[in-house]
Amino acid sequence: MKHYDYLITGAGISGLVAAERLAKEGLSSLVIDKRDHIGGNCYDEYDEHGVLIHRYGPHYFRTQSKEVVDYLSQFTEWIPAHYRVLSHIQGTYYQFPINLTTFEQIMGRSSSEAEMEATLKEWRHDYPNPSNSEEAVLAQVGEKLYRMFYEGYTTKQWKCSPKELDPSVCQRIPIRTNRDDRYLTEEFQMMPKQGYTAMFQKMIGSSPLIEIQLQTSLEEIRAHTSFGSLIYTGPIDRYFNDCLGKLPYRSLRFEHEHYPHCDYYQETVQVNYPNEEKYTRIVETKHITQQQIKGTTITKEYPQDIDSSHPPYYPIPNPESKALYQQYAQLAKQESQVYFIGRLAKYRYYNMDQVVAMALQLVSKLTSPGP
């Protein structure tokens, strides 16, 4: 029986970063994944028409951390990215997040920062300490803009009212009174030049100490694999066989459509559809990849419950799920030589750079000399 220093469950970004860093320290790892490819939800591929698409929805890399950028830059060059989003409401494309241009579109005339600030002050509801996402948005922009941009989208995405979700769900979207149309504000906004999958392939190809075994579950391999420690990146409740009950998640279904006779389908990389449509957004990654190819492919994103074909994507942030997770977290602390990292293992929404940083920190801790 071959022995590995580490068994890593999940060949997504956190598992692969951990494996690469461990290899740099001379430690071997076997990385397993239930899927038939590496990269987890960040996996991208060329479709049958030659268009580079994100199979599992858009992954917009951005960060404030130069350390994370410097680390990943060992495995990729970058394309600068301007992630611009529009919101389609009753036939009109509005700038989103809400800014002065959005306000002018709604008012039907030119305006100013001062007028927008004064108007929002009139529209806002008095929730100094919002207890849920509805109150959080009403406290920022009032009922009109809440109904237009937030209520429908959030209800579709989470299959529940914004009243039932933590304030952080909607608070993370900025509100601006200037003309800044950026969806994101981090200093570094970019995408791997050859794609995420190419970056991951270079990462795991950097050392013979990294082995990958796909279409394999922890249950299948644990009994006949010798390893020192386990790094677990899957759903924390599943690790414990749902012994305290299942944590709630939302999943997604993606429909990819190709248009051979146009260079671009829509004006920008992402258009939100907050109201009538069953999908929440249409994404056209070609706006960012800048691929020089005739034709384009779009991805429509449909939120849905998890099932055998649709794995968990988003932990549902409400008080009940947080309380249940804390019980699982206490069980995790009692596990010996098992380390839980990543969005599903920590039951929290993390951006890609945060997951990279988490993996870097874990390996640094594991390989640092003791006192």
Side-chain angles (χ1 to χ4, degrees):
M1 184 184 295
K2 186 172 181 178
H3 178 81
Y4 301 90
D5 294 308
Y6 286 85
L7 174 63
I8 301 175
T9 63
I13 191 166
S14 54
L16 297 179
V17 169
E20 191 280 329
R21 287 291 85 188
L22 288 167
K24 283 292 184 184
E25 299 294 331
L27 298 167
S28 63
S29 60
L30 172 63
V31 185
I32 64 171
D33 201 291
K34 287 186 175 181
R35 292 175 175 171
D36 62 358
H37 59 74
I38 63 170
N41 293 341
C42 296
Y43 176 73
D44 54 15
E45 62 183 339
Y46 291 92
D47 68 10
E48 59 183 322
H49 310 284
V51 181
L52 183 61
I53 63 169
H54 293 184
R55 184 189 289 188
Y56 304 104
H59 285 77
Y60 302 149
F61 183 80
R62 77 276 195 182
T63 186
Q64 294 287 81
S65 171
K66 189 174 184 300
E67 178 187 2
V68 169
V69 172
D70 288 345
Y71 168 71
L72 293 177
S73 295
Q74 299 174 81
F75 313 106
T76 186
E77 296 179 67
W78 299 97
I79 300 171
H82 179 54
Y83 301 118
R84 183 167 169 262
V85 176
L86 298 173
S87 192
H88 184 265
I89 302 169
Q90 296 182 339
T92 299
Y93 292 91
Y94 293 91
Q95 285 201 9
F96 191 80
I98 294 166
N99 65 10
L100 178 57
T101 303
T102 318
F103 181 71
E104 290 178 332
Q105 289 178 284
I106 292 167
M107 301 299 285
R109 56 174 173 78
S110 60
S111 185
S112 65
E113 290 190 44
E115 183 189 15
M116 182 177 178
E117 289 170 355
T119 303
L120 290 181
K121 186 176 181 180
E122 293 178 6
W123 288 357
R124 290 184 187 116
H125 291 218
D126 186 19
Y127 292 113
N129 297 296
S131 62
N132 57 59
S133 270
E134 178 176 279
E135 291 180 359
V137 179
L138 292 174
Q140 288 181 300
V141 296
E143 187 163 347
K144 179 181 178 69
L145 300 184
Y146 166 70
R147 303 292 178 199
M148 285 180 66
F149 294 96
Y150 293 88
E151 183 180 36
Y153 191 102
T154 306
T155 301
K156 282 192 288 186
Q157 179 72 21
W158 300 101
K159 200 182 178 181
C160 63
S161 166
K163 294 178 184 179
E164 302 173 65
L165 296 170
D166 190 86
S168 63
V169 174
C170 290
Q171 279 178 333
R172 66 188 183 88
I173 303 171
I175 307 294
R176 305 186 181 110
T177 56
N178 57 23
R179 298 192 188 279
D180 185 352
D181 68 349
R182 295 174 300 161
Y183 188 62
L184 309 166
T185 58
E186 286 84 352
E187 179 182 358
F188 303 99
Q189 298 185 29
M190 48 208 182
M191 194 172 285
K193 188 173 183 179
Q194 304 301 326
Y196 288 103
T197 301
M199 179 180 73
F200 294 137
Q201 287 171 338
K202 189 171 182 182
M203 189 179 291
I204 63 176
S206 62
S207 172
L209 293 173
I210 303 170
E211 291 187 30
I212 306 291
Q213 192 165 320
L214 302 175
Q215 296 179 291
T216 302
S217 70
L218 178 59
E219 294 75 19
E220 291 170 330
I221 203 167
R222 197 170 194 172
H224 56 270
T225 301
S226 173
F227 59 93
S229 299
L230 173 66
I231 296 176
Y232 183 83
T233 72
I236 189 171
D237 52 339
R238 190 174 298 165
Y239 177 87
F240 293 104
N241 297 313
D242 304 321
C243 65
L244 301 175
K246 290 188 176 183
L247 284 164
Y249 298 89
R250 284 294 274 167
S251 188
L252 298 168
R253 175 171 60 86
F254 304 97
E255 290 187 0
H256 307 288
E257 299 176 2
H258 183 70
Y259 292 85
H261 302 302
C262 63
D263 290 330
Y264 291 98
Y265 174 87
Q266 59 192 25
E267 183 179 333
T268 189
V269 63
Q270 177 177 318
V271 178
N272 290 349
Y273 290 83
N275 298 314
E276 295 83 5
E277 295 79 2
K278 290 184 179 180
Y279 46 86
T280 51
R281 59 184 176 177
I282 295 178
V283 173
E284 188 176 20
T285 53
K286 189 179 173 186
H287 283 278
I288 306 300
T289 63
Q290 302 174 21
Q291 218 181 337
Q292 299 301 307
I293 186 172
K294 184 65 178 177
T296 188
T297 300
I298 65 168
T299 301
K300 292 181 178 178
E301 195 167 301
Y302 296 82
Q304 70 161 63
D305 296 329
I306 62 172
D307 58 32
S308 58
S309 302
H310 300 92
Y313 284 92
Y314 298 111
I316 297 180
N318 59 37
E320 294 76 20
S321 62
K322 283 185 175 181
L324 180 55
Y325 164 71
Q326 288 301 325
Q327 294 180 54
Y328 277 116
Q330 289 303 312
L331 290 181
K333 289 180 180 179
Q334 299 171 28
E335 292 290 293
S336 177
Q337 298 300 111
V338 182
Y339 306 95
F340 296 82
I341 60 171
R343 181 187 294 187
L344 299 179
K346 293 292 188 180
Y347 199 73
R348 180 178 171 185
Y349 185 93
Y350 287 106
N351 294 328
M352 284 180 286
D353 65 318
Q354 295 173 307
V355 173
V356 172
M358 189 186 305
L360 294 176
Q361 289 164 8
L362 173 64
V363 174
S364 177
K365 178 180 177 181
L366 293 175
T367 57
S368 296

